[in-house]
Amino acid sequence: MELTQVCAAGVEGVDGYPVTVEVSRATPGRGVGRTTMVGLPDVAVRESIDRVTTALFAGGFSHSPSDHLVVNLAPADRRKEGPAFDLAIALGLLATVPENGVRLPASCLFAAELALDGSLRPVRGVLAMAQAAREAGCTRIMVAPEDADEAALMEDIIVHAPENLRQAVLWLQNGLAKAPRVARRDLDEGAPADHLDLSDVRGQDQAKRALTIAAAGGHNLLFIGPPGSGKTMLARRLPGILPPLSHEQALEVTRIHSVAGLHDGRRGLHRQRPFRAPHHSVSAVGLVGGGSTPRPGEVSLAHHGVIFLDELPEFPRRVLEHLRQPLEDGQLTISRAAGRLRFPSRCMLVAAMNPCPCGYLGHPVRACVDSADAIHRYRAHISGPLLDRIDCHLEVPAQPPEQVHAARPGPSSEEVRAQVRAARQGMLDRQGCANGDLVGRALQRHASPDQAGRELLHQAINELGLSHRAHDRILRVSRTIADLERSPSISIDHVSEAIGYRLLDRSSL
Ligand SMILES: Nc1ncnc2c1ncn2[C@@H]1O[C@H](COP(=O)(O)OP(=O)(O)OP(=O)(O)O)[C@@H](O)[C@H]1O
Ligand SMILES: [Mg+2]
């Protein structure tokens, strides 16, 4: 009996983990052979045997149909899913026949699907797998050509990307040290195609100011206003003013999008902060992730970026409630029999809504036609705890047309981005994170207002009946307002402006 072992990788949550593919071949001498696959494979993995044997045949490799094959994917207690084990299984099968001369180095991990003609196909989560390879002590990874640039983002790993199984076998027969390797390319994603400029929005200076503060500190934001006042327009201009991603953050974002099958491996690193705008028909699993084969949801796809919920009350309340934990903790954890899955979700929540179902409550000219009851039901879609997690809620009022035309365009996205970037850098230099992520002792240490500021805050907390969470959020926003002015201390003016962004706490509008 011949036995071989090949390194491969699975993905759980957004993390890769090493899998050893063991193949044993026994020749019973007579009868028809059978293939058994063990180690918690899903349907796609079980179907792998058919793809692999056809690909072997297409590659001109001999196959003994009377042999008994056992393919084991270890560790056996974790579910294996998807077609990414194809290449490792095919090479394992070939290596059990010594005449094939296939040497499988333990230092190389194999991750690709096989097409029936033997060519290598891309798979989800290659960056996570390359990371798993490095953590498992591998120095090489073999992937499909479409995945080569993505795998090469991982430092200290040599990437090989053969076109097909024949070429892979040839390279292994001659030794991988001599095989072609993929050079890392510093791909530039360029500016987003739909670059929208903040100067397109006329007037609405207070909303623009809040957008700037939220972008600088990474705070959550809710715009409330009548139809056509510019809420959606403003929110869509947020990506253009956000500070750049660090290299580590860009790697994390790329990894998550790749696991979700949304990253084109040839695009290199995901350098733009994500901006996700799910429709209100999104399911709870679609929004926060999970499911029977857990995948990242919209909040994870928005990690280090923005999740924008336009028309917030249109989202079912029970779906919105799922946002509470990931918004608070910056990650969603799902417990499984074989451990916990982690889905990072450190993102800004930006939302927009009308003040009432007809949209015109508080409008200077048009009358609202809704009953108090209808307004109440509309608002009830957004629970208190969810609202409590939103740092700034403010009105985006209707502007008369003559006012819109007379208004100056205001600063461009580029000018605002420079301001935001400087403020964010100051935060990182001081405390290593954005103000929106300040917690516990670090929050106390870096975001304590002066005496007058403290008194004003206490007064507001008492008068408005605000929670401790709201208190902390006001402090964080005050810190960002001070940072935008490069002020080391937080004054009463900074605190007062931050309290001003608590519209729904201050009025019944
Ligand atoms: N301040 C503004 N400056 C320039 N154009 C504006 C402004 N506000 C609104 N508009 C114009 O009105 C259109 C509608 O704006 P937008 O979609 O942002 O409204 P909204 O507040 O999201 O409304 P709704 O509540 O109906 O979703 C924009 O596409 C734009 O053409
Ligand atoms: Mg809108």
Side-chain angles (χ1 to χ4, degrees):
M1 188 184 80
E2 295 292 332
L3 178 76
T4 56
Q5 292 192 330
V6 196
C7 299
V11 175
E12 258 184 356
V14 295
D15 301 305
Y17 65 97
V19 170
T20 304
V21 177
E22 295 177 324
V23 184
S24 88
R25 180 191 290 272
T27 311
R30 62 192 160 83
V32 178
R34 58 188 153 77
T35 304
T36 315
M37 185 169 275
V38 290
L40 280 187
D42 78 347
V43 177
V45 181
R46 266 184 266 132
E47 286 173 348
S48 169
I49 285 296
D50 294 332
R51 278 192 303 275
V52 165
T53 45
T54 314
L56 286 174
F57 188 72
F61 300 103
S62 65
H63 178 58
S64 313
S66 60
D67 288 353
H68 282 182
L69 300 169
V70 178
V71 178
N72 179 33
L73 306 177
D77 62 347
R78 295 171 97 158
R79 263 172 65 106
K80 320 295 180 314
E81 50 146 2
F85 302 103
D86 285 5
L87 178 60
I89 293 171
L91 293 171
L93 286 179
L94 285 172
T96 52
V97 180
E99 299 82 71
N100 285 326
V102 175
R103 280 174 291 156
L104 291 169
S107 60
C108 185
L109 190 145
F110 299 88
E113 179 183 340
L114 285 176
L116 296 183
D117 66 357
S119 53
L120 267 60
R121 279 193 172 149
V123 293
R124 289 166 194 251
V126 161
L127 186 53
M129 293 182 188
Q131 198 164 4
R134 195 174 69 171
E135 282 162 14
C138 292
T139 52
R140 297 169 192 272
I141 186 167
M142 189 179 277
V143 297
E146 289 90 334
D147 282 337
D149 286 323
E150 185 183 325
L153 293 172
M154 188 50 51
E155 277 160 37
D156 310 322
I157 288 274
I158 299 168
V159 179
H160 300 289
E163 292 287 335
N164 52 41
L165 190 58
R166 261 217 95 68
Q167 196 169 44
V169 169
L170 200 65
W171 290 357
L172 286 163
Q173 285 167 337
N174 295 333
L176 280 181
K178 284 188 244 150
R181 49 182 74 181
V182 176
R184 177 182 327 199
R185 295 194 291 154
D186 204 11
L187 298 165
D188 189 6
E189 223 180 20
D194 59 344
H195 190 67
L196 306 167
D197 205 275
L198 202 57
S199 58
D200 301 338
V201 185
R202 300 286 175 128
Q204 302 298 13
D205 293 343
Q206 200 195 24
K208 286 183 189 170
R209 165 84 176 155
L211 204 61
T212 308
I213 294 167
H219 307 293
N220 299 333
L221 187 63
L222 170 62
F223 287 136
I224 305 157
S229 63
K231 302 179 295 297
T232 303
M233 212 182 164
L234 282 158
R236 292 213 169 267
R237 278 151 185 79
L238 187 55
I241 63 168
L242 287 171
L245 285 173
S246 70
H247 183 70
E248 278 66 38
Q249 289 173 333
L251 274 176
E252 234 184 322
V253 171
T254 309
R255 194 157 55 102
I256 296 169
H257 284 243
S258 163
V259 167
L262 295 175
H263 184 70
D264 178 353
R266 286 166 295 198
R267 236 182 60 180
L269 210 53
H270 203 300
R271 281 180 218 276
Q272 310 290 340
R273 287 196 184 260
F275 183 86
R276 304 290 304 180
H279 187 254
H280 50 70
S281 61
V282 70
S283 67
V285 165
L287 192 60
V288 298
S292 53
T293 46
R295 292 250 185 281
E298 291 291 337
V299 265
S300 292
L301 294 170
H303 184 55
H304 292 312
V306 180
I307 184 159
F308 174 45
L309 304 182
D310 206 359
E311 320 285 351
L312 186 65
E314 300 290 332
F315 288 75
R317 180 173 163 146
R318 64 175 173 79
V319 172
L320 289 179
E321 288 302 284
H322 287 269
L323 281 173
R324 285 162 57 171
Q325 191 245 319
L327 279 185
E328 195 79 350
D329 303 342
Q331 67 172 18
L332 183 82
T333 33
I334 300 175
S335 294
R336 287 280 141 137
R340 277 144 62 103
L341 306 187
R342 192 184 60 91
F343 289 106
S345 60
R346 194 161 293 291
C347 61
M348 284 169 69
L349 168 67
V350 177
M353 65 182 278
N354 298 129
C356 61
C358 83
Y360 293 101
L361 183 68
H363 193 277
V365 182
R366 293 183 66 153
C368 171
V369 297
D370 297 313
S371 66
D373 212 31
I375 296 172
H376 181 76
R377 273 200 309 275
Y378 180 74
R379 298 273 180 89
H381 274 255
I382 308 143
S383 71
L386 181 65
L387 201 58
D388 212 31
R389 283 162 173 76
I390 300 181
D391 306 82
C392 308
H393 15 104
L394 67 151
E395 193 183 1
V396 181
Q399 300 181 120
E402 59 281 6
Q403 196 182 326
V404 174
H405 291 301
R408 287 183 297 120
S412 69
S413 290
E414 204 178 321
E415 290 167 81
V416 176
R417 187 169 55 228
Q419 221 189 339
V420 164
R421 199 178 174 145
R424 178 65 69 92
Q425 194 55 52
M427 297 172 205
L428 296 177
D429 293 344
R430 182 180 60 225
Q431 71 223 8
C433 67
N435 290 342
D437 296 328
L438 273 178
V439 285
R441 212 172 282 169
L443 177 67
Q444 270 176 19
R445 174 146 173 244
H446 299 294
S448 285
D450 63 14
Q451 178 70 24
R454 250 196 324 270
E455 281 168 16
L456 178 69
L457 181 55
H458 285 154
Q459 191 187 336
I461 296 288
N462 289 335
E463 280 175 15
L464 304 174
L466 298 183
S467 70
H468 196 73
R469 186 190 282 123
H471 168 273
D472 286 356
R473 289 194 180 269
I474 292 172
L475 281 185
R476 293 185 193 115
V477 174
S478 310
R479 179 66 268 172
T480 302
I481 295 169
D483 284 335
L484 281 165
E485 278 176 18
R486 295 170 194 262
S487 162
S489 61
I490 302 175
S491 73
I492 186 168
D493 291 344
H494 304 139
V495 176
S496 156
E497 184 176 347
I499 294 170
Y501 297 124
R502 307 287 303 190
L503 174 74
L504 293 176
D505 296 325
R506 287 185 294 115
S507 75
S508 58
L509 178 79

